[in-house]
């Protein structure tokens, strides 16, 4: 059964954005449109990205409803560098949507047997091809880095030997049930180059924001969160030698971060590892 996607940390994001009436916001991760709709309802103009072709129909409905206040770009969000204009806020709600995880044929879930696909964009290299194209040590690296797997080499060797074609074939190679979700997550992150996408998009953000513009990121994985935290730390650190008398001020300052409340977690257990961080451009 497909679960409706419940927007995660939406109140915290809206709180961090403040008054958005008449402003232009880039929603880098349209998904089920929960964020975009909330921004539009508060008077903002929205430019939304998503790489998943399955969301295009919903985006089209939103375009009909909100006219030229809403624009959808069916692409990876690293293409924000091509926007060609400045905006008042850029928002990322990372990871996968409930629609993606709950549709068995997409191969993200270990709870249903399906071809091992895992592509958010439904194009390019799928998980089986990814396994075929990478060495044992590259696969072990992915399992260790994105899945926190201790005996990554042993599992990587087993996976390369079999080259599982379905979700259940992969699941059955993993001896410890506790490792199943992290292994699926690790492979999904690699197949979709999720960390590379995030790093490339963040590089483009400072030049795309107006003065007073904000960047807000909701992350679901510690490595993802570290990329955001370290990037924001760099942006909020004043340049120059701190021992010199005149220190230029940092171009950004931090917005208070947030995690889901107990009430949000009770309503949406999928929010459990979410973490919101934000910055505001000061000059
Ligand atoms: C967690 S969902 C977003 C949910 C959305 N905020 C809502 O309220 O409905 C993440 C979405 O981002 C998309 N996505 C993830 N990485 C992407 C990327 N690099 N480029 C474009 N879309 C991406 C996924 O396809 C998915 O639809």
């Amino acid at each position: 059964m497909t679960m409706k996607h419940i927007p995660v940390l939406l109140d915290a994001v809206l709180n961090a954005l403040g008054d958005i009436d008449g402003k232009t916001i880039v929603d880098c991760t349209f998904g089920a449109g929960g964020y975009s709709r909330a921004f539009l309802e508060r008077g903002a103009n929205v430019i939304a990205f998503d790489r998943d072709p399955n969301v295009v129909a919903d985006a089209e409905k939103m375009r009909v409803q909100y006219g030229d206040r809403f624009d959808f770009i069916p692409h990876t969000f690293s293409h924000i560098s091509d926007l060609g204009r400045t905006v008042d806020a850029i928002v990322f709600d990372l990871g996968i949507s409930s629609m993606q995880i709950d549709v068995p044929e997409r191969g993200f879930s270990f709870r249903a047997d399906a071809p091992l696909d895992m592509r958010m964009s439904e194009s390019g290299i799928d998980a089986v091809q990814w396994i075929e194209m990478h060495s044992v040590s590259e696969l072990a690296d992915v399992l260790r880095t994105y899945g926190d797997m201790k005996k990554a080499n042993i599992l990587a060797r087993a996976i390369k030997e079999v080259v599982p074609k379905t979700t259940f074939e992969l699941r059955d190679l993993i001896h410890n049930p506790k490792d199943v979700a992290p292994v699926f997550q690790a492979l999904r992150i690699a197949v979709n180059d999720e960390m590379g996408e995030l790093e490339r998009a963040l590089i483009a953000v400072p030049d795309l924001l107006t003065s007073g513009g904000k960047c807000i990121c909701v992350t679901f994985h510690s490595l993802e969160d570290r990329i955001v935290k370290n990037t924001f730390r760099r942006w909020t650190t004043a340049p120059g030698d701190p021992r010199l008398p005149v220190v230029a001020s940092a171009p950004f300052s931090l917005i208070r971060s947030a995690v889901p409340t107990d009430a949000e977690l009770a309503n949406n257990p999928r929010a459990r590892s979410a973490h919101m961080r934000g910055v505001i451009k000061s000059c």
Side-chain angles (χ1 to χ4, degrees), residues 100-219:
Q100 288 166 333
I101 191 94
D102 290 339
V103 174
E105 305 85 69
R106 306 220 41 191
F108 288 109
S109 172
F110 53 84
R111 296 186 199 283
D113 200 10
L116 193 59
D117 189 314
M118 294 190 169
R119 294 167 301 172
M120 290 185 195
S121 62
E122 293 192 340
S123 63
I125 290 159
D126 67 19
V128 177
Q129 291 167 315
W130 193 97
I131 292 167
E132 283 168 344
M133 289 167 64
H134 290 80
S135 65
V136 169
S137 75
E138 286 167 330
L139 178 56
D141 242 17
V142 158
L143 298 176
R144 208 175 293 115
T145 316
Y146 303 148
D148 218 9
M149 289 284 306
K150 300 283 173 287
K151 293 179 177 159
N153 275 319
I154 298 174
L155 180 58
R157 225 171 288 128
I159 293 174
K160 279 292 287 182
E161 222 170 86
V162 174
V163 186
K165 303 287 185 296
T166 67
T167 49
F168 277 8
E169 281 176 26
L170 175 59
R171 186 199 62 182
D172 292 346
L173 290 170
I174 307 163
H175 294 309
N176 187 345
K178 279 200 202 124
D179 291 337
V180 174
V183 167
F184 272 68
Q185 172 184 258
L187 196 54
R188 182 206 91 209
I189 290 174
V191 167
N192 294 286
D193 186 22
E194 292 179 37
M195 301 303 158
E197 267 292 309
L198 178 59
E199 283 174 334
R200 288 191 293 279
L202 286 175
I203 285 172
V205 165
D207 286 343
L208 291 171
L209 288 176
T210 52
S211 175
K214 293 171 182 172
C215 178
I216 311 286
C217 295
V218 175
T219 64

Side-chain angles (χ1 to χ4, degrees), residues 4-5 12 18 25-26 32 35 80 101 167 169 188 203 207 217 230 234 249 253 264:
K4 187 175 160 291
H5 185 89
I25 302 182
V26 179
Y35 278 26
I80 51 168
I101 191 94
T167 49
E169 281 176 26
R188 182 206 91 209
I203 285 172
D207 286 343
C217 295
N230 290 341
R234 266 199 320 278
S249 61
S253 46
E264 176 166 4

Side-chain angles (χ1 to χ4, degrees), residues 5-8 10 27-36 49-52 55 75-78 93-100 120-121 192-194 197-198 220:
H5 185 89
I6 306 171
V8 173
L10 178 58
D27 178 357
C28 287
T29 49
F30 179 77
Y35 278 26
S36 280
F49 282 84
D50 206 297
R51 62 181 3 182
D52 188 339
V55 310
H75 230 316
T76 49
F77 56 57
S78 54
D93 176 20
L94 297 161
I96 50 173
S97 66
S98 296
M99 295 83 69
Q100 288 166 333
M120 290 185 195
S121 62
N192 294 286
D193 186 22
E194 292 179 37
E197 267 292 309
L198 178 59
F220 290 85

